[in-house]
Amino acid sequence: MNAKLPGGTLRLSDTLTVTRVGFGALQLAGPMAYGPPRDRDEALAVLRDVADAGITHLDTSDYYGPHLVNGLIREALHPYRDGLHIATKVGARRTPDRGWPAALSRPELVQAVHDNLGHLGLDAIDLVNLRMTDTLEPADIVEPFTVLAELREQGLIRNLGVSNVSQGQVEAAQEIAPVVAVQNHYNIAHRLDDSLVDWCARQGIAFVPFWPLGGFRPLQLQVLEDVASALGASARQVALAWLLHRSPTICLIPGTSTREHLAQNIAAAAVELPAAALEALEDVPHPGHAHPGPARPGDARPGHGSAG
């Protein structure tokens, strides 16, 4: 294992320290995270390269595929190396039309945790993120998060996180059990959660952006490309490097289905952003900081947790 993986590590709890450069497994499934991968052998090779690179934060969900991606992870990496931590998400299910409806009832959450355990070949999951849907109201997270807290007490889950949430929901969850990670849509051009990123840093909570490399408009992309050209990097690498610079508790989980892009994503953590580059990147146009209402733009977009 490479102990010098760029980006360093972040301690989330007494039982969980992860590399700040992680890997999101969503893109190992077929289009829209549904069905088998385009190249099964390459998908398995990517997972093995993830472990060989020293990445210790592997983000997945049993609703990727569904079920298929967790099976690939088990085939490629089981028995898992010491220090490799698998994070998963529950709170949604897949439909034949490739939809992502909520699955937040007690029976659905309990079954989802057991499905993840079985398909991954684990006795306990290092981190389970509760994915919320269509609401940012604090009261709405209490019942489903309580279910996961009970499963944590039973020893099936070691750490808990939340996804697609407001700060109020994080605070409500913290009243029930410790929250070690928040996984929301955030990137250099989508910064509605700027205040939440800073709040998580003050709390020592990991902020894990999903969709970190998508949705850029031409003007935003041009700024990234200009900075990248001056640094001898790619726009993709600059966007990832900016996230690592943005907050000391941001952890990356960019996804890819190729070893070539995996290597480029890892190398992004070594890209240094001088003052002039940071100034230019801060000028990238982005939405305002306040939440616009009960659901953010992109909340229904597939890829919660690992697209990139």
Side-chain angles (χ1 to χ4, degrees), residues 10 12 57 59 89 127-130 141 145 160-171 173-174 178-186 193 195-197 199-201 203-210 249-253 291 296 305:
L10 182 66
L12 278 63
H57 182 187
D59 181 87
K89 281 176 296 301
L127 173 60
V128 173
N129 293 296
L130 174 65
I141 202 171
F145 196 78
L160 294 172
V162 288
S163 177
N164 212 35
V165 291
S166 65
Q167 181 178 323
Q169 288 178 323
V170 184
E171 292 173 327
Q174 284 181 310
V179 174
V180 305
V182 172
Q183 194 174 102
N184 275 11
H185 180 196
Y186 186 80
D193 272 338
S195 62
L196 182 55
V197 169
W199 181 84
C200 284
Q203 297 286 319
I205 296 173
F207 189 94
V208 186
F210 66 71
T249 65
I250 278 185
C251 290
L252 302 181
I253 51 167
H291 292 304
R296 299 181 198 82

Side-chain angles (χ1 to χ4, degrees), residues 232-254:
S234 70
R236 178 188 187 97
Q237 289 174 322
V238 168
L240 292 174
W242 179 85
L243 283 169
L244 287 175
H245 182 274
R246 172 64 181 82
S247 166
T249 65
I250 278 185
C251 290
L252 302 181
I253 51 167

Side-chain angles (χ1 to χ4, degrees), residues 57-209:
H57 182 187
L58 176 53
D59 181 87
T60 185
S61 176
D62 210 44
Y63 55 69
Y64 296 165
H67 317 307
L68 295 173
V69 169
N70 279 354
L72 289 171
I73 291 171
R74 182 173 184 173
E75 179 178 348
L77 301 177
H78 194 278
Y80 303 110
R81 298 181 182 184
D82 289 343
L84 177 64
H85 299 294
I86 296 178
T88 191
K89 281 176 296 301
V90 296
R93 60 184 176 85
R94 301 308 302 277
T95 55
D97 64 354
R98 304 189 180 188
W100 306 71
L104 293 167
S105 69
R106 175 177 290 271
E108 288 173 316
L109 291 172
V110 171
Q111 186 63 53
V113 169
H114 282 280
D115 285 348
N116 276 277
L117 288 167
H119 291 132
L120 289 166
L122 293 170
D123 295 323
I125 303 172
D126 285 321
L127 173 60
V128 173
N129 293 296
L130 174 65
R131 174 199 190 273
M132 296 299 292
T133 304
D134 299 331
T135 174
L136 297 175
E137 293 300 321
D140 293 333
I141 202 171
V142 172
E143 184 174 345
F145 196 78
T146 297
V147 175
L148 295 188
E150 292 171 359
L151 295 175
R152 176 177 173 268
E153 290 297 316
Q154 295 171 23
L156 300 179
I157 300 169
R158 295 192 177 96
N159 297 276
L160 294 172
V162 288
S163 177
N164 212 35
V165 291
S166 65
Q167 181 178 323
Q169 288 178 323
V170 184
E171 292 173 327
Q174 284 181 310
E175 294 295 319
I176 300 165
V179 174
V180 305
V182 172
Q183 194 174 102
N184 275 11
H185 180 196
Y186 186 80
N187 61 43
I188 194 169
H190 184 94
R191 296 179 58 176
L192 296 177
D193 272 338
D194 264 340
S195 62
L196 182 55
V197 169
D198 294 331
W199 181 84
C200 284
R202 293 192 296 271
Q203 297 286 319
I205 296 173
F207 189 94
V208 186

